[in-house]
Amino acid sequence: MELDNVMLSRMLTSMTLAFHIIFATIGVGIPVMISIAEFVGIKKNNNHFLLLARRWARGFTITVAVGVVTGTCIGLQLSMLWPSFMKVAGQVISLPLFMETFAFFFEAIFLGIYLYTWDRFKNKWLHWLLTIPVMIGSSASALFITTVNAFMNTPQGFELKNGKAVNIDPIAAMLNPSTPSKVFHVLTSSYMTSAVLLAAITSFAILRGKRSIYYRSALRLTMICSLVFSLGTALAGDVSAKFLAEVQPEKLAAAEWHFETESNADLILFGTIDENNQIHHAIRLPGMLSFLAGSSFDKKVIGLDDFPKDETPPLWIHYMFDLMVAIGSFVIVLSLVYLIAWRAKKFSEWFKPILWGIAAAGPLSVLAIEFGWIYAEVGRQPWILRGYMKVADAATTGQGVGLTFIIFAILYFILAILTCVVLVRMFKNKPAEAELEKRFNH
Ligand code: HEB
C-alpha cells in the first residue's frame, strides 16, 4: 500500500468521520430518549423518570459540544482534501449542507431554553414541549447531511459538461433515489444506538451494585426503547438492502460475495474467500439472498461478474455487513429476553448474564454504526460520485496531508479522553438517589 495523497486523504477523512459519527449518532438519538423519559415522568407523575431526563440532558451537553468540533473538522477537510469533488458537488448539493447548519442552530436554541427552564413552568408539559423542536432539529440535521451522502451514491439533479456541473436542480439532487432508505436507516440506527448506550450505562451501574428504583426504571425504559428501535433499524436495513438490489447492485453483491447473476441466490454468512473467489467455511442459506433482495426466491440478483473489474468494491466489506447484521440481531434477541424476564417474572431481570449482555450491547451498537458506515462508504468505491467521478481523481495534490493526519489524530485522542473524564466527573459525585432526594423531597 502506497501512502500517496489519495490514500492519505482517505485515511484522514475516514478517521474524522469514524470519530464524528459517534457524537453525531448520540446527538440524533439522545434528544428522543430525553423526550420519552420526561414524557413518561410527567404522565406517570414519577420523579425517577424526570430525573433520568434531567441527567441525560446534562451529559448530552458535553457530547453536543464535541460533535460541533468534529463536525467543523469535516467541513474543513472536505474542501481541503477533495477540492475537485467539492467544485462539482458543492454547487449541486450545497442546499442541504446549508440546511444542516440551519437545523443545528434551531436545535441549539431550543436545547438552550430547555436546559435553563427546568422547574420554571407551572405546567410541566410546556417544558416537555421544548423537546419537540430539539428532536426536530437534530433529526433534521441527520436528514439533510444524509441526503448529501445519498447524493454521492446515486447522484442526480445536474449534468456534467467539461468537468462543470450545469442545469442544476438542487431539490432533485437532495431527493435522489438513495435518500429515503438511507435517511430511514440512519435515523432508526441512531435512536437504537442511543437507547442501547443508555441501557448499557444503566446496566453497568446495576452490576456495580446500584439496585435502586431509579436504575431499575431506567433499565426498563431504555430496554423497551432498544427493542422498538432495533426492530425499526432492522426494517430500515431490509428496505436498504432491497433498494441496493435495484439501484446499486454492485454494493450488495460485493457484501454478499455474489458473483453470478441468478435467481434463487444463496446468502453467504461469514467464511473466507480466496483469490479465485472460492468461498470457504461459510454458512450458506439457500435462496435467502434472493429473498432478502426481493421478498421472493425467484428474484434475480445481479452479480459482480456483470461489472468491470475496476468498478467493483473491495470484497472485505462482506465482514462489515455481517457484523452489523449480527449485532443488530443480538440486540433484538437480548431486548426480548430481558423484557420477557421482567414481565414473566419466571427468572430475574437482575440475572447477571443478561446485565452483562446489555452492558456489552452499548459499545457493540456503536461498532455496528461504524461497520454500517464503512460498508456503505467502502461499498461505493471506486466512486466518490457514482458514475461521474472516482475517488482517485478527486483528492488534493497539495502537500502536508500526512502531517495533518497526525495532528488531527492527536486532537481526536485528546478530545476522546477529555469527553470521558468530564462525563465521568459529572456523574461520579452526584449519585442519582441523593439528587432525587434533594430535588424532589425538600
Ligand atoms: Fe445497516 C448501512 C442493511 C443493521 C447501521 N445497512 C446499511 C446498508 C444496508 C444495511 C443494506 C447500506 C445502505 C446504502 O449504502 O445505501 N443493516 C442492514 C440490515 C440490518 C442492519 C439488513 C439487519 C438488522 N445497521 C444495522 C444496525 C446498525 C446499522 C444494527 C447500527 C446500530 N447501516 C448502519 C449505518 C449504515 C448502514 C450507520 C450507513 C448509512 C446508510 O444507510 O448507508
Side-chain angles (χ1 to χ4, degrees):
M1 186 173 70
E2 200 191 336
L3 280 187
D4 56 2
N5 254 9
V6 177
M7 197 58 213
L8 284 168
S9 299
R10 289 180 70 183
M11 282 165 55
L12 179 48
T13 308
S14 313
M15 176 174 71
T16 302
L17 287 170
F19 191 58
H20 174 70
I21 198 61
I22 300 173
F23 298 95
T25 302
I26 294 175
V28 174
I30 299 286
V32 176
M33 295 303 296
I34 295 173
S35 182
I36 294 175
E38 191 175 10
F39 181 90
V40 175
I42 301 174
K43 186 97 194 157
K44 291 192 165 183
N45 198 8
N46 182 329
N47 292 333
H48 293 107
F49 293 103
L50 292 179
L51 184 66
L52 263 183
R54 222 167 161 133
R55 285 169 69 97
W56 289 345
R58 209 181 301 150
F60 183 60
T61 54
I62 309 294
T63 54
V64 169
V66 183
V68 174
V69 177
T70 55
T72 312
C73 294
I74 295 189
L76 285 174
Q77 289 177 9
L78 265 184
S79 24
M80 189 180 96
L81 299 173
W82 309 102
S84 344
F85 167 68
M86 285 309 276
K87 216 175 92 194
V88 175
Q91 294 172 312
V92 189
I93 206 73
S94 51
L95 175 70
L97 277 173
F98 167 76
M99 297 287 283
E100 196 227 353
T101 319
F102 180 77
F104 171 71
F105 285 139
F106 183 79
E107 175 196 347
I109 290 167
F110 284 98
L111 180 64
I113 304 175
Y114 181 79
L115 291 172
Y116 283 101
T117 51
W118 285 102
D119 311 322
R120 295 279 171 84
F121 294 106
K122 270 229 150 52
N123 183 345
K124 287 184 180 169
W125 288 110
L126 286 177
H127 187 254
W128 174 77
L129 277 181
L130 285 167
T131 62
I132 291 178
V134 176
M135 285 191 289
I136 293 178
S138 57
S139 290
S141 347
L143 184 152
F144 289 124
I145 208 64
T146 304
T147 66
V148 180
N149 179 264
F151 173 78
M152 298 169 70
N153 285 278
T154 50
Q156 69 173 28
F158 70 106
E159 277 170 65
L160 206 57
K161 284 226 171 90
N162 307 323
K164 272 210 174 121
V166 293
N167 287 339
I168 295 172
D169 179 351
I171 302 289
M174 225 173 96
L175 301 179
N176 66 78
S178 298
T179 292
S181 56
K182 269 191 181 274
V183 169
F184 184 23
H185 197 40
V186 165
L187 288 179
T188 45
S189 61
S190 301
Y191 301 157
M192 166 187 155
T193 303
S194 302
V196 177
L197 269 176
L198 292 173
I201 295 171
T202 311
S203 191
F204 195 64
I206 294 171
L207 281 164
R208 295 184 51 188
K210 299 192 168 158
R211 290 200 169 188
S212 59
I213 302 173
Y214 173 81
Y215 287 98
R216 197 184 63 194
S217 315
L219 195 62
R220 289 176 178 178
L221 181 72
T222 49
M223 286 309 282
I224 295 173
C225 295
S226 298
L227 180 65
V228 174
F229 293 142
S230 56
L231 288 173
T233 303
L235 175 69
D238 185 55
V239 171
S240 295
K242 292 189 164 56
F243 164 82
L244 289 183
E246 295 308 315
V247 183
Q248 222 176 342
E250 74 281 11
K251 192 190 271 186
L252 187 68
E256 306 298 354
W257 288 347
H258 178 61
F259 296 96
E260 264 169 65
T261 300
E262 58 183 2
S263 56
N264 202 13
D266 298 349
L267 184 69
I268 290 162
L269 297 179
F270 296 98
T272 55
I273 193 162
D274 62 22
E275 36 317 338
N276 305 319
N277 293 341
Q278 292 301 310
I279 297 160
H280 308 280
H281 319 296
I283 308 168
R284 211 174 247 281
L285 303 178
M288 274 316 280
L289 180 57
S290 285
F291 195 75
L292 273 187
S295 301
S296 148
F297 295 107
D298 297 330
K299 167 79 186 172
K300 208 177 230 168
V301 186
I302 300 175
L304 275 185
D305 291 347
D306 284 13
F307 293 87
K309 280 265 169 304
D310 60 344
E311 286 183 14
T312 55
L315 293 173
W316 59 263
I317 58 174
H318 176 70
Y319 298 109
M320 299 292 109
F321 185 84
D322 281 4
L323 288 169
M324 169 183 74
V325 173
I327 295 172
S329 315
F330 171 68
V331 171
I332 293 177
V333 172
L334 184 71
S335 324
L336 274 174
V337 169
Y338 168 83
L339 293 175
I340 291 170
W342 161 28
R343 302 304 303 191
K345 302 202 170 78
K346 283 271 184 284
F347 57 111
S348 161
E349 62 182 300
W350 302 127
F351 188 46
K352 278 218 168 126
I354 300 184
L355 291 175
W356 278 114
I358 299 173
L364 281 175
S365 295
V366 176
L367 277 178
I369 294 282
E370 301 283 357
F371 295 150
W373 276 114
I374 296 173
Y375 167 46
E377 299 304 277
V378 179
R380 175 173 34 80
Q381 303 303 320
W383 303 103
I384 192 164
L385 248 190
R386 184 169 178 269
Y388 290 94
M389 188 189 284
K390 291 194 172 165
V391 173
D393 304 324
T396 176
T397 47
Q399 295 291 302
V401 184
L403 180 65
T404 320
F405 179 88
I406 296 170
I407 294 172
F408 274 104
I410 297 173
L411 171 73
Y412 299 149
F413 183 71
I414 296 174
L415 265 179
I417 304 265
L418 271 180
T419 314
C420 295
V421 170
V422 172
L423 279 176
V424 168
R425 284 242 172 122
M426 190 175 240
F427 294 102
K428 197 162 183 192
N429 301 320
K430 272 209 167 182
E433 294 74 17
E435 199 178 338
L436 207 62
E437 194 64 29
K438 192 179 113 227
R439 278 197 198 286
F440 299 106
N441 295 342
H442 40 223

